Amino acid sequence: MEKTSGCAILIRLSAILYCILELESQRRDGMSTIEGTKENPWKLKTPPQTCDYEMFKDEKDGKVILVCTVGKTVLHYDYRCVDDLNTMLKQHGDWIELASADEQKPVKEGTVEAWGRSPENPIGGWYGLKKGLRGRFGMYIPPLMEKLGLAEVEHNPRNNRMRTIKQQ
């Protein structure tokens, strides 16, 4: 193991402390550079690139959630959907159709939307948390997965698909 001088350690610690103080200052000023926070949400577009929306990670009732704001509509999704969908995509291994439907509408089987509300998924049902607004999983979660570098999403006018990005 390589020995590090006391001076080098102090320089590294100073740099780390500077970064921490800078981030804290930005947080206090509402200028967080960390994406995915209420102060600095992810700026996303639906798969067909026709609608802008924002998402951020938050906590509600002791549960980590995704807050999705589309115009004046605010949707909530269980944050576990990110890891769970990533796992499902890896197991699926190929392109899968997204589909998208409101909670009250039927959904095409074998799609991301169907999986997001299926009793067979890891949470046993809806990842959407607001009654009446639990659908549209296939419209709003895949672009976040793409932004996070976890998936590839098609951007056609309709019938879009996604797949995992294979990790080397």
Side-chain angles (χ1 to χ4, degrees):
M1 189 169 171
E2 197 176 299
K3 285 192 174 185
T4 307
S5 73
C7 186
I9 291 172
L10 284 175
I11 291 170
R12 286 182 186 157
L13 287 174
S14 295
I16 291 168
L17 181 58
Y18 174 80
C19 289
I20 291 170
L21 292 173
E22 182 64 25
L23 286 172
E24 179 60 22
S25 170
Q26 290 175 359
R27 187 194 61 78
R28 270 195 319 270
D29 297 342
M31 299 171 25
S32 175
T33 57
I34 300 170
E35 264 192 308
T37 63
K38 188 173 189 172
E39 297 79 23
N40 189 20
W42 290 293
K43 309 264 191 240
L44 303 164
K45 283 185 171 290
T46 55
Q49 306 286 285
T50 55
C51 181
D52 295 321
Y53 65 102
E54 295 182 348
M55 273 189 154
F56 64 91
K57 187 176 175 181
D58 204 2
E59 191 173 312
K60 183 177 182 185
D61 302 326
K63 182 183 272 192
V64 181
I65 66 168
L66 285 168
V67 178
C68 177
T69 305
V70 187
K72 293 182 182 185
T73 304
V74 179
L75 308 162
H76 292 166
Y77 295 99
D78 189 315
Y79 188 76
R80 292 178 290 180
C81 70
V82 173
D83 286 334
D84 292 349
L85 180 55
N86 191 37
T87 299
M88 185 276 282
L89 291 172
K90 286 178 181 176
Q91 290 170 351
H92 183 72
D94 199 2
W95 291 99
I96 183 170
E97 189 177 339
L98 301 181
S100 183
D102 290 330
E103 176 178 350
Q104 305 80 4
K105 303 258 169 101
V107 64
K108 183 178 178 183
E109 287 303 314
T111 63
V112 171
E113 181 72 32
W115 179 86
R117 53 176 78 186
S118 170
E120 305 301 316
N121 70 33
I123 65 167
W126 296 90
Y127 280 99
L129 300 174
K130 288 176 94 173
K131 188 83 168 134
L133 297 171
R134 297 185 296 183
R136 300 283 173 179
F137 182 86
M139 181 67 72
Y140 300 122
I141 301 301
L144 175 62
M145 301 285 290
E146 183 175 48
K147 178 85 168 182
L148 296 174
L150 299 172
E152 195 177 342
V153 178
E154 292 180 328
H155 299 287
N156 301 311
R158 54 184 46 198
N159 300 321
N160 288 300
R161 303 175 302 165
M162 73 183 303
R163 67 179 173 186
T164 189
I165 292 179
K166 304 243 187 288
Q167 302 298 321
Q168 304 300 352

